[in-house]
Every structure is written in structure tokens, then in C-alpha cells.
Amino acid sequence: MILSEKQKVLRIVWGAYVLLSILLIFFLLNKLLCAGGDNLAPKIVLEDEWNVAVNDETFSSVKLDEFRYYGLNKGDVLTLTTVLPQQWEYKSPALCVPVMQTVVEVYVDDEMIYKYGHDRYEQNKNVGNGIRFVHLENSYKGKELSIVLTVAEERAFAALKPFWVSDWQDCYRIIMTENRVPLLLGVFLLVFGVIMSLLLTIAMVYDSRFW
């Protein structure tokens, strides 16, 4: 089918309209995700000076982003110990704990303040991945923090993700702001897929080659 000059122009205009619409959506979403970002209290990353025990094997003064341990199996236990910061300015502090197919127990000065995943682990169900938020008291400043991770799947991970402390109300905003690029890419793919589906449907209806 030979397109007329008018049809070619209309296709170019339509393509430009779609592209500009997607860019506008990206711009608005980025502004929305970053709105109020300057007012967020900075998070405190607990990265250095960890003592790590993997079953009976111990490692001292560990920097978490450099720590690697290969060959973890289901049932292996990692115990991570450090000291909480002496100072923070949070109204309702929270510890953000990445979960990577592990049962989680959190202790402050040997007192358990949080646990996750025991029931699913005992029932041989998937514990899952994600981030768990643990409420902290301001009185916990400078106290010993222990995180016990029980591996729930074979070779679930080899590296540990950093733990961090922030204000409870800011946790989700921080995560969304730091991960806005993959979020925007996901929105782009979704919008692009919908538009292409609509265009294909229109082509199938009006193009005689499909009949």
C-alpha cells in the first residue's frame, strides 16, 4: 500500500506526539518522585565495622559492601554485629533490613526487637526478597545491634546488601527516589507496550492486508 504525502505527514506528527507524551510523563513522574527530596533527613548507612559469623566461622571489622561468602546453603546462619550510631536526628527511627531469602531476627543488646519469616521457613515456603523496616527507639543510640539471618534457599546470595537507618516516614520515599531510573524505565515499557498494541489493533482493523 502506497502512502500519500498527507498520510506520511500524519504518521510523523503522530510519532512525534507519542514521543513527546512519553517524555512529558517521564518528566512529571521524576518531579513527583523527587518532590520534597531536599527535606528528607539523610539516611545513615551501616557499612563499616561489622563482625560477621557464618556458622562457626568468624570475620572481624568487615565492610559489608566488600564482604563475599560463596556456597551458602539452606539452614546456614549468619550473625552480624555492630554498634548503632551515637547520634541521629530522627523522630521515629527505623532500621531498613534487606531480605534475600532469609529468616531475620534483630536484637539490640541481646533483646529481640523484630523477627520475620519463621513461619514460612518452618512450613518450607518461600520467604521472599525485599526490605523489612524495624522500628528503633531513640534510646538505642550507641547500643549493640545484632542481625541473625538464617538462609532459606540454597545459594540464596553471596554478598550482603547494606543496612541503613532513617526516619520511618522517609523510608519509602528514599527507596523510590534512589530507584527512580528502573521505575521510570518500567513505566516507559508499559506505556510503549500499550501504545504499540493500540497501533497494531488499528492497523489490523483498517489495513486490508489483514483481511
Side-chain angles (χ1 to χ4, degrees):
M1 181 177 64
I2 300 176
L3 298 176
S4 66
E5 289 299 322
K6 182 178 180 180
Q7 288 174 319
K8 290 180 180 178
V9 172
L10 286 174
R11 285 197 172 186
I12 293 174
V13 171
W14 173 250
Y17 170 76
V18 171
L19 179 60
L20 290 175
S21 298
I22 292 175
L23 292 176
L24 178 61
I25 291 172
F26 279 3
F27 175 77
L28 293 176
L29 283 175
N30 187 61
K31 292 287 287 184
L32 178 63
L33 291 175
C34 295
D38 295 337
N39 298 323
L40 298 178
K43 68 180 184 181
I44 301 174
V45 181
L46 307 180
E47 186 176 39
D48 300 324
E49 296 301 319
W50 285 85
N51 294 320
V52 179
V54 183
N55 298 323
D56 296 326
E57 192 173 0
T58 59
F59 306 86
S60 300
S61 299
V62 168
K63 190 174 182 179
L64 285 189
D65 66 345
E66 297 176 354
F67 181 76
R68 301 291 185 274
Y69 195 97
Y70 299 97
L72 288 170
N73 297 310
K74 184 175 181 179
D76 286 343
V77 178
L78 288 80
T79 303
L80 317 174
T81 305
T82 191
V83 176
L84 286 168
Q86 295 284 349
Q87 294 294 329
W88 61 57
E89 300 298 330
Y90 304 131
K91 294 180 180 179
S92 181
L95 173 69
C96 299
V97 181
V99 175
M100 300 174 290
Q101 296 293 344
T102 54
V103 177
V104 178
E105 296 176 355
V106 180
Y107 298 84
V108 174
D109 278 356
D110 297 325
E111 178 185 354
M112 181 185 289
I113 62 170
Y114 181 83
K115 63 179 181 179
Y116 165 79
H118 288 82
D119 293 342
R120 299 189 64 84
Y121 179 74
E122 292 170 359
Q123 296 170 13
N124 204 30
K125 293 182 179 180
N126 191 299
V127 175
N129 298 312
I131 296 179
R132 312 303 299 182
F133 301 113
V134 183
H135 176 70
L136 300 176
E137 301 289 346
N138 280 309
S139 60
Y140 292 166
K141 296 176 183 178
K143 292 187 177 181
E144 183 181 77
L145 170 70
S146 295
I147 301 173
V148 180
L149 306 175
T150 302
V151 181
E153 298 290 341
E154 297 295 329
R155 305 185 186 280
F157 59 91
L160 293 167
K161 295 182 179 180
F163 305 93
W164 45 279
V165 178
S166 180
D167 210 324
W168 183 279
Q169 64 182 6
D170 294 337
C171 289
Y172 286 106
R173 178 65 65 85
I174 290 172
I175 292 172
M176 292 180 66
T177 302
E178 292 181 345
N179 294 278
R180 65 182 182 273
V181 172
L183 179 60
L184 291 174
L185 287 175
V187 172
F188 167 76
L189 293 174
L190 177 62
V191 173
F192 181 77
V194 170
I195 292 174
M196 292 304 296
S197 298
L198 291 174
L199 292 177
L200 181 60
T201 301
I202 294 172
M204 291 178 65
V205 171
Y206 291 101
D207 196 329
S208 59
R209 291 177 297 175
F210 289 94
W211 296 93

